[in-house]
Amino acid sequence: MGDRKVLVVGGGGREHAIVEALSRSAQVGRIYCAPGNAGIAALAECVAIKDTDIAGLKAFALEQGIDLTVVGPEAALAKGIADEFRAAGLKIFGHTAAASRIETSKEFAKEIMASSGIPTADYRSFTDFDEAFAYVCSRPFPAVLKYDGLAAGKGVVIAADKAEAEAALKDMLLDGKFGEGKVVVEDFLTGPEFSLMCFVDGRRVYPMPMAQDHKRAYEGDKGPNTGGMGAYTALPFITDEDRQYAMTAIMQRAADAMADAGCPLSGVLYGGLMKTPQGIKVIEFNARFGDPETEVVLPLIESDMYSIFEAVACGQEAQEPVWASDVTFGVVLASKGYPGSYEKGYGISGVENAGGIVFHMGTKLQDGVLRTSGGRVMMCVAKAPTLAEARDKAYASVAEIRCDNLFYRKDIAHIAFEY
Ligand code: AMP
Ligand code: GLY
């Protein structure tokens, strides 16, 4: 075991996967996680500091002599955690506030794409309700309306008709439901969606295996949008040529455009992409690891995780990451009622009998009992040479977990199996 001290910021399944990958590094001696969760506590020391309490996190990192901080959530990046840590001489893996605008401002992201020829849906942005509504009515439905700013995943509305568009635009532009802001209206695209995450240091771009998330709550991709109900790697509908195109025409161009704009990336760039009949296009960029994609991607890393984070944080060339040739499959167990209202505090047992890796998303230890404490509670991830084997292993793990208040989707990766 090495002697490096790492602080991971965040407390969900994504951070559990980051902590798990770091725990396999020969350089890492001690991992802290703020605030962490009950599963993370098995691998790291959880510290009760909120992920957006930048002053508190900085004071902790200075006091403990933390060698490297790794940031999960976008809110901390948007608030300038990387800027503040760097100004204090602390090493941190995560973009500056200026660079994280590629996620937090839809209009900024669209401008970066337009200036560098990155394929994406055509769009216009509006601040005036009447102008926005008139434009939407002059175009074919469905209309895609995106609130420009962080809206906790609720900022995108696909309006099927005039009435839905009017209601959504009213929320966004007249009633200030999300705060003052703009709306980006864009063309509706079709095709399978997938996620391509890369470690990016300025113009250097290192791809991770691609993954597909399942955003809808129920089987058959029905029901409300969620933070993600499952994910898997190995996408049969994406060819090597598609991947090459996505790397050169999208991810590399984005990195170069951000460097040219004076806000170089330094962290993870997440491409939310769609394979449309007109080719691969960007749905959105995120300035961080995806959740739940990270839980299926990072278990495949064979390189030293610490070395990659450190190289990117310091602007040094990293070794090309090495990935296992296996594929992964992950199923999210969520509280009944999620993404609407749900109850917390249900006891969970049987986790020790589950094979593969069980990432905790929203759990808490109370008087020695493991309990649910969030909408998405756990994710069972299995690794195998084929997707079918990984699926069978992951659902076998799910069957071991006992809790009265959880549900999960039984059709994760249906697009791959139907292909
Ligand atoms: P987001 O919250 O930005 O991840 O968007 C939520 C979902 O809306 C995406 O995963 C897509 O399924 C859908 N979406 C966003 N933009 C478009 C678009 N231009 N055309 C079709 N679907 C879209
Ligand atoms: N899985 C989608 C996201 O992380 O935004």
Side-chain angles (χ1 to χ4, degrees), residues 27-318:
Q27 297 185 64
V28 172
R30 204 149 182 186
I31 308 175
Y32 299 90
C33 190
N37 65 35
I40 291 172
L43 298 168
E45 189 176 316
C46 295
V47 283
I49 307 174
K50 271 205 185 154
D51 58 25
T52 49
D53 176 6
I54 296 177
L57 292 166
K58 187 169 84 177
F60 178 83
L62 289 168
E63 263 162 39
Q64 299 293 328
I66 296 292
D67 294 294
L68 176 70
T69 298
V70 179
V71 185
E74 65 274 20
L77 296 170
K79 259 184 106 176
I81 189 172
D83 308 77
E84 290 212 23
F85 270 53
R86 288 197 188 111
L90 291 162
K91 265 190 232 166
I92 186 162
F93 176 87
H95 309 289
T96 61
S100 53
R101 283 179 301 161
I102 196 160
E103 168 167 3
T104 56
S105 166
K106 303 268 182 210
E107 194 177 28
F108 176 78
K110 283 292 196 184
E111 280 164 8
I112 287 288
M113 289 188 255
S115 71
S116 54
I118 294 174
T120 187
D122 286 338
Y123 80 103
R124 278 186 57 185
S125 75
F126 297 90
T127 48
D128 182 75
F129 171 83
D130 293 326
E131 284 175 25
F133 188 52
Y135 176 74
V136 168
C137 293
S138 74
R139 317 260 317 155
F141 281 94
V144 181
L145 313 172
K146 299 188 173 183
Y147 174 76
D148 194 15
L150 277 184
K154 299 197 175 64
V156 177
V157 172
I158 314 277
D161 53 33
K162 260 189 184 184
E164 279 183 34
E166 188 174 17
L169 287 172
K170 228 170 138 252
D171 281 352
M172 293 176 182
L173 290 175
L174 291 182
D175 299 346
K177 244 197 181 170
F178 308 111
E180 285 285 304
K182 287 185 190 169
V183 168
V184 169
V185 179
E186 65 177 44
D187 289 351
F188 180 74
L189 304 177
T190 54
E193 287 181 66
F194 64 102
S195 311
L196 173 56
M197 299 189 285
C198 298
F199 299 105
V200 183
D201 162 30
R203 296 174 192 275
R204 287 191 280 256
V205 180
Y206 308 92
M208 302 183 217
M210 295 172 294
Q212 191 183 47
D213 178 11
H214 293 60
K215 290 210 160 84
R216 302 295 202 97
Y218 312 131
E219 274 138 35
D221 294 320
K222 303 234 160 53
N225 260 319
T226 70
M229 295 299 294
Y232 63 102
T233 60
L235 311 178
F237 48 89
I238 302 297
T239 63
D240 286 347
E241 205 185 354
D242 290 334
R243 184 171 181 282
Q244 206 36 258
Y245 176 81
M247 281 305 297
T248 52
I250 295 174
M251 306 307 283
Q252 184 66 52
R253 279 186 194 163
D256 290 340
M258 291 295 284
D260 292 341
C263 43
L265 294 168
S266 170
V268 171
L269 179 64
Y270 167 114
L273 312 179
M274 188 184 269
K275 185 172 175 174
T276 77
Q278 290 77 40
I280 294 175
K281 298 193 181 190
V282 175
I283 293 289
E284 61 165 352
F285 281 123
N286 291 327
R288 51 166 175 84
F289 279 109
D291 195 348
E293 289 92 333
T294 304
E295 293 92 311
V296 291
V297 167
L298 287 188
L300 294 173
I301 197 160
E302 290 185 338
S303 307
D304 185 300
M305 191 74 259
Y306 184 88
S307 297
I308 295 170
F309 285 147
E310 186 186 38
V312 172
C314 299
Q316 286 161 358
E317 196 162 341

